[in-house]
Amino acid sequence: MNIVSSGGHFDWWDGMETFFVTESMVLKHTAKVDPSVPSIAELNFDINYTINTNKILQNENSLNGTDMKIEPVYTVRSLILSAIAVPFYYAALLFSVSPIALIGLFLNSIIISAICLVIFCFSFDLYRSKKLAFVLSLVFGVCSFIWPYNTTFWVQPLQALTLILGTYYIHKSLHYNPSFICHYFSKPPNNKTGIYFAILGGLFLGLSIFAHPTSIIFLPGFILYFFIVARRRNKNSKIFVYFLIALVITISLAGLVNYLRFDSFTEFGYGSFSSLEMHDGWRGLVGLIISPGAGLVFFFPLAILLPWGFKYLTNQNKGLAILFAYIIIINWIYVGTLSFDFEPFSWSGGVAWGPRYLIPILPFIALAIGSVFMKLSQRLNLKVIAIASLSIAGFIVNLLGKLVWYQYGIMYGWERESLSTLPNSIDIMTWNPYYSPIILHAKALIDGYVGTIQPEMYDGTSWNWVAYGLAPCSIDGYIYCTFGSIFIVIILLITAFIAVVLMKEIRLLKKPFNNSLLKNRHNRR
């Protein structure tokens, strides 16, 4: 679903810079962005601005940005995301296809699908229901605002994946519950199994910092949770020690990479923008929740159930509920107080679809909501109807974000709604319900606006990014625009056939696995 619905291109700025680093790794063998890589000229990208901005950030006291040499420079973009894309770039060269299209189609699509898989495994461990686990992974994948991000090269999906993977492995190290396809051992779990999972938990938490440095704010909660739960469950102290060792080693490697790039173990390239002085606002705390243009409840309506989710999850697993609450609240406070006189961009992550900086906590919200689903009865009642309605609303809202590239939706507001004449157009789109991106995308789709866009008209202007999308193709789907709707139907049929075959295989494998597991438990007793 993610590959079929992907636009096969990137976001208009951050993702392009990340891609240029990937291209520099492949063609110039450097982790700096090299201004001579071919895609920069092909896309007419303003690389001078990128280089000057990053030099100013890294040398704020010695440069004024007026007379700087255009040369390769390290950027603030995630190196790990650029590095993951390197094999895809080589594959594009091998098959003589566009690297942008290949990476745009597959990379974040795979990452988002991997998050869905982790949510499935985690949900099954928590709630012991395959149906619920499948529903939660599906709700996360197509009823939340993560879905349109398969047509981006932003790092937030990767950050979300590393965070939820780290949390899942920590949970597995403390709770040895073998689960269906999510368990990797045929023998009964033992202390070495716990150590193995603890090491993986520390590793992925450390990698989340490689993905984005804001993951540092979550570490105190994870360390405290692991220590307290391990002691209460009388676990071997070695498990916690191995977790800390893996975490410290990974963080040290991140510090070493920082030193090699910016001559400082603690500098990630953001300069003064990473200081606490930038957190002097409050509007984002409200906007991230209820603003029509960047509010969580509008782009993921099921998030309304979060208070009840924590209530039920606390009754089932208090420690995990507290950890999830810490992760969600600390991220909300950290992002919501960002200002640096550039609101709402600073906290909404704009120009983007929904509250981009809340993507790392979306998996935790989905898992907490799962406890509400567990309380539903089999019969049709008001609760079932309400949850189904919220799910359908989330699907429709984010389908709009998929069918129309978010940049074209904003462009519709600027051109057709004449918002470009106003100095605070993004502020209006954030707070005014009538100009919310959800409404703008619906109008653009109904009016057939994207089909009227002629990208060549914007060549040589500051709007040259219009050509980065698929206009004048009316739907933001690379496969649809390239091969037509019949090809999509064929892919979905093949996918459905593979899914049916896999489910049959799983059913055949499940019975003997469970029998041997029960026998081993009986022998231990």
Side-chain angles (χ1 to χ4, degrees):
M1 288 183 65
N2 273 297
I3 293 171
V4 167
S5 63
S6 173
H9 57 84
F10 305 141
D11 45 281
W12 72 306
W13 195 266
D14 297 19
M16 298 307 300
E17 291 183 345
T18 307
F19 171 75
F20 296 144
V21 175
T22 297
E23 193 166 51
S24 299
M25 289 178 174
V26 174
L27 302 182
K28 303 297 180 179
H29 309 292
T30 177
K32 298 179 178 181
V33 59
D34 192 307
S36 65
V37 293
S39 294
I40 292 176
E42 292 173 9
L43 296 170
N44 195 25
F45 187 83
D46 186 6
I47 195 63
N48 292 4
Y49 177 83
T50 294
I51 291 175
N52 289 341
T53 300
N54 281 278
K55 282 188 174 183
I56 292 171
L57 286 174
Q58 297 161 26
N59 304 276
E60 292 175 329
N61 297 326
S62 57
L63 292 175
N64 56 20
T66 57
D67 186 23
M68 288 185 285
K69 183 180 178 182
I70 303 303
E71 60 186 353
V73 64
Y74 288 116
T75 72
V76 300
R77 307 304 167 200
S78 170
L79 276 186
I80 190 172
L81 185 60
S82 296
I84 291 173
V86 166
F88 292 88
Y89 196 102
Y90 277 115
L93 294 179
L94 179 64
F95 294 104
S96 300
V97 297
S98 166
I100 293 178
L102 192 70
I103 295 173
L105 265 178
F106 287 99
L107 190 59
N108 263 352
S109 294
I110 292 173
I111 290 173
I112 293 171
S113 301
I115 300 173
C116 292
L117 178 60
V118 177
I119 289 176
F120 179 90
C121 295
F122 211 153
S123 300
F124 189 77
D125 267 9
L126 284 176
Y127 305 118
R128 312 307 296 174
S129 169
K130 289 176 287 185
K131 291 181 180 179
L132 176 58
F134 176 75
V135 168
L136 284 182
S137 60
L138 192 63
V139 161
F140 172 83
V142 297
C143 298
S144 78
F145 57 92
I146 189 72
W147 189 12
Y149 283 80
N150 60 12
T151 306
T152 70
F153 204 18
W154 268 319
V155 75
Q156 279 71 32
L158 179 63
Q159 186 184 10
L161 175 61
T162 51
L163 281 171
I164 195 61
L165 264 176
T167 311
Y168 174 64
Y169 284 127
I170 289 173
H171 176 78
K172 293 288 287 184
S173 70
L174 297 171
H175 306 81
Y176 301 146
N177 292 328
S179 61
F180 176 45
I181 65 170
C182 304
H183 191 70
Y184 306 105
F185 300 93
S186 58
K187 297 180 180 180
N190 51 41
N191 191 54
K192 289 185 178 179
T193 306
I195 291 174
Y196 170 77
F197 284 131
I199 292 173
L200 286 177
L203 172 65
F204 280 105
L205 282 184
L207 288 176
S208 71
I209 298 174
F210 268 104
H212 201 282
T214 54
S215 296
I216 293 174
I217 64 176
F218 305 122
L219 295 188
F222 280 107
I223 294 172
L224 195 60
Y225 166 79
F226 202 126
F227 178 75
I228 292 174
V229 175
R231 288 195 62 183
R232 287 185 176 180
R233 296 181 64 88
N234 297 319
K235 295 292 182 183
N236 193 323
S237 60
K238 286 184 179 180
I239 292 180
F240 180 68
V241 172
Y242 276 105
F243 162 75
L244 279 183
I245 291 173
L247 180 60
V248 169
I249 289 175
T250 314
I251 293 175
S252 299
L253 288 174
L256 179 61
V257 171
N258 286 342
Y259 182 80
L260 294 175
R261 296 166 73 195
F262 308 118
D263 296 324
S264 170
F265 289 102
T266 58
E267 177 58 59
F268 288 87
Y270 289 92
S272 61
F273 283 89
S274 60
S275 68
L276 292 177
E277 295 176 358
M278 299 294 105
H279 297 265
D280 57 352
W282 60 269
R283 293 179 69 203
L285 295 173
V286 178
L288 288 171
I289 305 299
I290 62 172
S291 67
L296 179 65
V297 297
F298 285 95
F299 290 86
F300 189 22
L302 279 168
I304 295 172
L305 303 175
L306 196 55
W308 292 274
F310 277 118
K311 176 185 175 181
Y312 298 137
L313 184 60
T314 301
N315 295 333
Q316 178 182 345
N317 192 321
K318 186 176 181 180
L320 207 58
I322 293 174
L323 176 63
F324 283 10
Y326 169 80
I327 292 169
I328 293 170
I329 292 172
I330 197 67
N331 188 79
W332 169 62
I333 293 174
Y334 181 88
V335 175
T337 55
L338 281 171
S339 177
F340 47 85
D341 296 326
F342 199 49
E343 298 188 51
F345 290 95
S346 57
W347 49 264
S348 68
V351 177
W353 181 254
R356 173 162 65 102
Y357 295 146
L358 294 190
I359 286 178
I361 63 173
L362 271 182
F364 301 95
I365 295 175
L367 286 169
I369 291 172
S371 62
V372 178
F373 285 51
M374 282 292 293
K375 297 294 182 179
L376 297 178
S377 63
Q378 296 293 330
R379 291 181 294 180
L380 188 67
N381 55 37
L382 289 178
K383 289 182 180 179
V384 174
I385 293 173
I387 290 178
S389 300
L390 291 173
S391 301
I392 293 171
F395 174 77
I396 293 173
V397 164
N398 292 293
L399 181 62
L400 291 173
K402 274 307 316 162
L403 296 177
V404 178
W405 185 31
Y406 70 89
Q407 199 64 45
Y408 289 157
I410 300 298
M411 189 174 166
Y412 179 89
W414 285 335
E415 287 194 337
R416 293 291 177 89
E417 303 290 344
S418 302
L419 294 180
S420 61
T421 59
L422 304 175
N424 60 338
S425 61
I426 299 299
D427 204 45
I428 292 173
M429 294 180 195
T430 302
W431 294 102
N432 190 328
Y434 183 78
Y435 296 111
S436 165
I438 299 171
I439 303 300
L440 294 178
H441 276 234
K443 287 183 175 181
L445 197 62
I446 294 171
D447 293 349
Y449 170 72
V450 179
T452 67
I453 297 175
Q454 300 299 322
E456 61 273 9
M457 293 177 56
Y458 301 92
D459 288 345
T461 71
S462 59
W463 284 28
N464 65 303
W465 44 261
V466 172
Y468 298 172
L470 300 178
C473 183
S474 58
I475 302 297
D476 192 40
Y478 182 84
I479 293 177
Y480 170 81
C481 293
T482 306
F483 303 103
S485 57
I486 299 298
F487 194 76
I488 292 180
V489 173
I490 293 173
I491 290 177
L492 290 177
L493 288 175
I494 293 173
T495 304
F497 174 76
I498 293 172
V500 171
V501 172
L502 286 176
M503 287 304 297
K504 288 183 177 180
E505 292 295 326
I506 288 169
R507 287 174 182 173
L508 289 174
L509 292 172
K510 182 184 174 186
K511 187 174 180 180
F513 174 80
N514 283 344
N515 286 342
S516 63
L517 184 63
L518 290 172
K519 185 177 179 181
N520 287 327
R521 287 180 177 174
H522 176 74
N523 291 337
R524 281 190 294 165
R525 288 176 183 173

